[in-house]
Every structure is written in C-alpha cells, then in structure tokens.
Amino acid sequence: LATGPAAVLARIVRVELLSVLGDDFVRTARAKRLPSRLVYVRHALPNAVTATLTLGGMMLAALVAGTVLVENVFAWPGLGSTIVGSIQQKDYPAVQGIVLVYGAGVLLVNLVVDVVLALLDPRSTIREA
C-alpha cells in the first residue's frame, strides 16, 4: 500500500537535497570545514525536508482511502471493511462515525506536519507585525 508513495517521497527528497546542496549556505558551511554529517543534518536536511513533509501529509488521504480497498480485497477486519459493510446495510450513523474518525486522523496528521514544519523553519510561520 505504501510502496508507491514511498518511492515518490524518496524521489522528492533526492531532488530537494540536490537542490539545497548547491545553495550558497551549504557551500559556506563546507568552506568552514564542517564535517559532512553536520552539513547534511544541520544545514541541508531541514531545508530539504519541508517539501517532503508537506507532500507526505497530503499523501495520507490517499493511503487512508487505499486501506478501505485493501481491507476489502483481502477480507481483513478493520475500519475499511466496516465502512463498506455499513454502506451495504444502510447503517448511515456508523458510516458517519467512521468518516469522522478518518477525517479527524487526517486533520491530526496535517496539524502535526504544520507544527513540525514551523519547528524546522521558523521563517515559514505567519507572524503578526
């Protein structure tokens, strides 16, 4: 279920890191003879991971929708098979509850992504003047 999105995220991390490693502040850090590990961890990674985190948070909705399909195909018990059974039996309060749980999960993950992005790059937050 997560193989495709993991490949997409790996590709995006690679492209972002290659872009960041060519920036002036990374060249300056290397000119100061900082160890490579420190250059990658402290300078390059926080700047490259912002796009990855944002896209990863948005991919979560597709993964949640994929769990419904996978649970039904392989007859695994879970919220996905429960929601399909509830739709077939016209049990709409159960469907509403499960959709609410899925929606709350997606919102919670997006909130965590926003908080982590704000911690990694304080310039990205909107502040009042």
Side-chain angles (χ1 to χ4, degrees), residues 15-80:
V15 168
E16 289 292 322
L17 269 175
L18 288 176
S19 172
V20 169
L21 289 175
D23 287 345
D24 291 336
F25 65 92
V26 174
R27 271 188 283 152
T28 304
R30 286 185 176 157
K32 291 181 180 180
R33 294 190 179 262
L34 290 175
S36 295
R37 179 184 52 84
L38 196 61
V39 171
Y40 287 127
V41 171
R42 214 174 263 168
H43 296 285
L45 193 60
N47 289 302
V49 87
T50 55
T52 306
L53 279 175
T54 304
L55 189 63
M58 290 189 298
M59 284 182 167
L60 177 73
L63 287 175
V64 168
T67 60
V68 174
L69 178 68
V70 168
E71 285 179 7
N72 282 306
V73 168
F74 294 108
W76 291 341
L79 285 178

